[in-house]
Amino acid sequence: MTDEQQISRLRDLYAETFDSRDSAAFAQLFADNGELVVPGGKAFAGHEKLARLVASMPENGSRHIPIDVEVVVEGTAARCRGPYRMEIGETVQTGIYDDTFVRTADGWRIARREIIPEG
């Protein structure tokens, strides 16, 4: 797989592990010091905090709809910025994921994801 394909798969796994509430697998998608910045600016950094965040989500389900974006790879770093769509029951949330990735000994990982809601 190319770097871009590996990162695309990582983005898909983000959706799958979040929606299934697999907190341990979700946290491992991030670099050791990786962070997720949620709407409002609160950041969750490190595997333990990321796993706790997903474990605290209600079980009633969310469904992320993956949307392909262009990934720009520069050596051991990569970036992409693109739309997201998430359904929670009858509610639909849309916005932008602003992503930075890093190549580690274990493959590509999310260094930082900022969720920027629409509106």
Side-chain angles (χ1 to χ4, degrees):
M1 269 198 277
T2 67
D3 290 331
E4 291 83 1
Q5 289 169 326
Q6 291 173 43
I7 291 168
S8 179
R9 180 65 184 137
L10 180 64
R11 294 179 81 246
D12 290 346
L13 286 170
Y14 172 96
E16 290 173 22
T17 58
F18 185 93
D19 292 345
S20 67
R21 302 303 189 256
D22 187 342
S23 58
F26 177 86
Q28 292 304 310
L29 300 175
F30 288 78
D32 290 342
N33 59 348
E35 72 175 350
L36 176 63
V37 181
V38 298
K42 184 170 182 172
F44 297 86
H47 292 160
E48 185 177 321
K49 288 182 182 174
L50 290 161
R52 279 200 315 253
L53 170 67
V54 172
S56 73
M57 293 289 134
E59 290 293 326
N60 62 351
S62 58
R63 186 170 83 98
H64 286 78
I65 312 300
I67 299 172
D68 288 335
V69 298
E70 181 181 354
V71 177
V72 177
V73 177
E74 296 178 355
T76 61
R79 288 198 47 90
C80 68
R81 182 178 169 95
Y84 74 86
R85 178 183 173 94
M86 182 174 67
E87 299 172 356
I88 304 171
E90 298 294 317
T91 303
V92 175
Q93 295 178 1
T94 59
I96 300 291
Y97 285 144
D98 189 7
D99 294 335
T100 305
F101 303 93
V102 62
R103 186 190 329 256
T104 71
D106 296 319
W108 287 99
R109 296 292 183 262
I110 302 168
R112 184 176 193 271
R113 168 167 276 184
E114 182 175 358
I115 302 171
I116 305 165
E118 202 170 59

